[in-house]
Amino acid sequence: MEPPLPPDSHYMQLPREVLIGKQVAPLVGATLTRLGIRGRALIVTGPQVKNIAADIVLTSLNESGFSARTSIVEGSTTEQVILVENQIHEFKPDIIVGVGGGKDIDVAKLSSMHTSKQFLSVPTAASHDGIASPLVSMKGLDRPYSYVAHSPVAIVADTSIIGRSPYRLIASGCGDVVAKYTAVRDWKLAHRIKNEYYGDYAAELAIMSSRLVMKNSSSIRMVSESGVRTLVEALISCGVSMSIAGTSRPCSGAEHLFSHYLTMKAPRPALHGEQCGVGTILCAYLHGANWELIKEVLHKIGAPTTATELGIEQEYVVEALTKAHTIRPERYTILGESGLTKEAAQRVASITGVAS
Ligand SMILES: [Zn+2]
């Protein structure tokens, strides 16, 4: 057992190295060597990305003298985490390397934390900020939202691999970054109303990420090298802001509760970041902020801005505004302690054009 921390203190656990650029995946082995890590490596990856990225990482590890094995996981469930933990106990790796989308990285993150191992993150998609954050969101847990696990020791983000992922994932990643526009407003609000801890530095870092993605929406839409890089850097910075804050607060406010609600209740939910983007339009309106700008940026990026574009029935969008506050009652947001009334929710959805 670790000794308890004095009040008003928390650890800031940050990645030691971030390598980002074209064709950097073959440098995973060299990156670990630079960090003084050697010996055995367990790659945790999904079936779709094995050929795209995990095999490149495996070769890189072998060339750097690692004894490496690959573990293929199917989704982020607690069963998959236990499976990987058993493999860790048996193989006794010195490092876990998560290669893939958010789900594969989450399994690597959680199984490495449970077994007190370090992990390195190799994201193959930029669909949300979990690729670089200390947080995990797993299926099979009793809550739909993320909680703090541990940070990757290093991140190797190959923009040539990420740039080839389906565009929908990139647009979704933008939605998750734009969401910080309202997440930080909610954090400030909770500080004022509930005297919750608030950190300017973490908040500014999250806001800066959302501002940069908004500013570079055209180059992201073109999937140019600089556009993809801006998005990946923004997602990594969001992860770092959560590490600094010691909580997901700078990156997750009412727009995230809205998205979690849809993921739980809608028959055919959209992607996390897509839902967060639409939630940001609605919550920006509630904050009296520039919701038109958010809508315009998301539209330019090619991310959904309405219930129809999300493929979700309008009634769930209205319901989410009235009930999403119940998902995480301790997280005070613009939705307040009782949520919006149905009439207010309908009005917000209609004024912003999210639902008619
Ligand atoms: Zn998110």
Side-chain angles (χ1 to χ4, degrees):
M1 271 304 265
E2 283 185 36
L5 292 175
D8 298 326
S9 61
H10 67 262
Y11 285 108
M12 295 181 187
Q13 199 185 56
L14 300 163
R16 275 175 64 197
E17 296 228 350
V18 177
L19 179 61
I20 171 167
K22 276 181 173 173
Q23 261 111 50
V24 294
L27 298 173
V28 168
T31 303
L32 287 170
T33 306
R34 275 168 56 81
L35 294 170
I37 299 167
R38 55 182 67 82
R40 295 179 179 195
L42 181 69
I43 299 171
V44 176
T45 191
Q48 293 93 350
V49 290
K50 190 183 170 294
N51 299 330
I52 303 165
D55 288 346
I56 301 171
V57 173
L58 180 65
T59 307
S60 160
L61 289 167
N62 286 331
E63 281 172 4
S64 292
F66 281 89
S67 158
R69 270 191 205 172
T70 303
S71 173
I72 311 271
V73 296
E74 311 262 353
S76 57
T77 58
T78 34
E79 291 76 35
Q80 293 291 323
V81 174
I82 292 167
L83 207 89
V84 174
E85 282 171 22
N86 289 337
Q87 288 168 349
I88 293 172
H89 290 308
E90 188 227 325
F91 183 50
K92 300 189 173 39
D94 299 280
I95 182 83
I96 315 300
V97 182
V99 183
K103 287 178 180 149
D104 311 318
I105 305 272
D106 273 351
V107 174
K109 200 185 285 177
L110 205 56
S111 57
S112 59
M113 187 186 75
H114 288 166
T115 52
S116 305
K117 302 279 181 191
Q118 291 184 312
F119 92 102
L120 180 144
S121 172
V122 186
T124 57
S127 54
H128 59 79
D129 59 25
I131 56 172
S133 80
L135 277 84
V136 284
S137 55
M138 303 289 302
K139 275 199 187 117
L141 294 175
D142 54 354
R143 29 186 192 181
Y145 51 87
S146 309
Y147 69 98
V148 179
H150 68 165
S151 281
V153 65
I155 301 159
V156 177
D158 192 321
T159 48
S160 34
I161 293 174
I162 294 167
R164 285 198 300 269
S165 67
Y167 183 74
R168 191 181 169 198
L169 300 179
I170 292 174
S172 173
C174 292
D176 201 21
V177 177
V178 167
K180 312 328 176 202
Y181 182 85
T182 48
V184 168
R185 282 174 166 79
D186 279 327
W187 194 16
K188 271 186 191 153
L189 189 70
H191 176 61
R192 289 196 208 108
I193 310 264
K194 300 285 176 187
N195 198 33
E196 200 179 293
Y197 160 78
Y198 174 81
D200 249 332
Y201 189 84
E204 292 292 328
L205 193 56
I207 279 291
M208 182 179 73
S209 305
S210 92
R211 207 181 297 130
L212 283 173
V213 163
M214 290 196 223
K215 197 173 124 193
N216 291 285
S217 52
S218 312
S219 64
I220 295 172
R221 185 71 187 91
M222 289 185 295
V223 200
S224 69
E225 166 64 16
S226 74
V228 174
R229 200 186 170 103
T230 301
L231 173 60
V232 174
E233 285 176 352
L235 290 168
I236 293 173
S237 301
C238 290
V240 168
S241 77
M242 290 187 264
S243 292
I244 291 171
T247 150
S248 63
R249 261 298 191 183
C251 295
S252 169
E255 75 300 318
H256 266 70
L257 296 176
F258 171 84
S259 174
H260 297 323
Y261 189 89
L262 294 179
T263 302
M264 282 162 62
K265 302 284 180 179
R268 281 170 291 109
L271 297 177
H272 167 81
E274 292 177 324
Q275 295 174 164
C276 288
V278 173
T280 308
I281 299 173
L282 297 162
C283 296
Y285 173 85
L286 295 173
H287 272 288
N290 193 349
W291 63 268
E292 291 100 332
L293 171 72
I294 304 296
K295 189 166 183 168
E296 191 189 309
V297 165
L298 290 173
H299 182 72
K300 210 161 143 192
I301 286 165
T305 60
T306 65
T308 311
E309 286 171 9
L310 283 173
I312 292 175
E313 292 75 8
Q314 300 193 356
E315 66 204 76
Y316 291 103
V317 166
V318 173
E319 195 180 282
L321 289 169
T322 64
K323 294 194 181 146
H325 67 285
T326 58
I327 293 178
R328 199 171 185 177
E330 81 285 4
R331 178 145 293 189
Y332 188 81
T333 70
I334 195 71
L335 300 176
E337 273 151 354
S338 52
L340 271 62
T341 62
K342 195 175 175 202
E343 294 71 26
Q346 275 164 339
R347 201 164 61 87
V348 178
S350 140
I351 291 172
T352 55
V354 169
S356 52

